[in-house]
C-alpha cells in the first residue's frame, strides 16, 4: 500500500504529473546555494497556478539546524 520513491528531479516530476503523490517529505538544510543546486523537480506542465498540485503541511520537525516538513494532499 506504500511506495517510497527516492530519485532525482525527473522521477519527482513524473510522479507529480501522473498524480501519484499523496505525501511529500521535504528536508530543508539551513543553507542557501541558489542556482548552483539541483532542482527538487523538473518541469511537469503546470501552466497556471490554479492547476498546481496542492499539499497541506501536516507536521514539521527540527533536525539540528535543518528541518523536515511533511505534507499531505490538500
Amino acid at each position: 500500500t506504500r511506495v517510497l520513491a527516492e530519485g532525482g528531479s525527473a522521477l519527482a516530476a513524473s510522479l507529480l504529473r501522473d498524480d501519484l503523490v499523496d505525501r511529500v517529505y521535504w528536508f530543508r538544510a539551513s543553507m542557501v546555494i541558489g542556482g548552483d543546486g539541483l532542482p527538487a523537480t523538473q518541469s511537469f506542465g503546470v501552466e497556471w497556478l490554479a492547476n498546481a498540485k496542492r499539499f497541506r503541511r501536516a507536521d514539521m520537525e527540527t533536525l539540528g539546524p535543518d528541518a523536515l516538513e511533511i505534507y499531505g494532499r490538500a
Side-chain angles (χ1 to χ4, degrees), residues 12-19 41-55 73:
S14 66
L15 292 171
L16 286 162
R17 179 182 47 250
D18 293 339
D19 207 25
T41 70
Q42 291 182 2
S43 171
F44 56 94
V46 175
E47 295 182 21
W48 303 97
L49 287 178
N51 298 335
K53 306 294 181 186
R54 304 278 179 182
F55 293 88
R73 283 255 172 173

Side-chain angles (χ1 to χ4, degrees), residues 27-43:
F27 291 91
R28 290 187 296 120
S30 57
M31 64 180 84
V32 178
I33 56 176
D36 298 321
L38 297 172
T41 70
Q42 291 182 2
S43 171

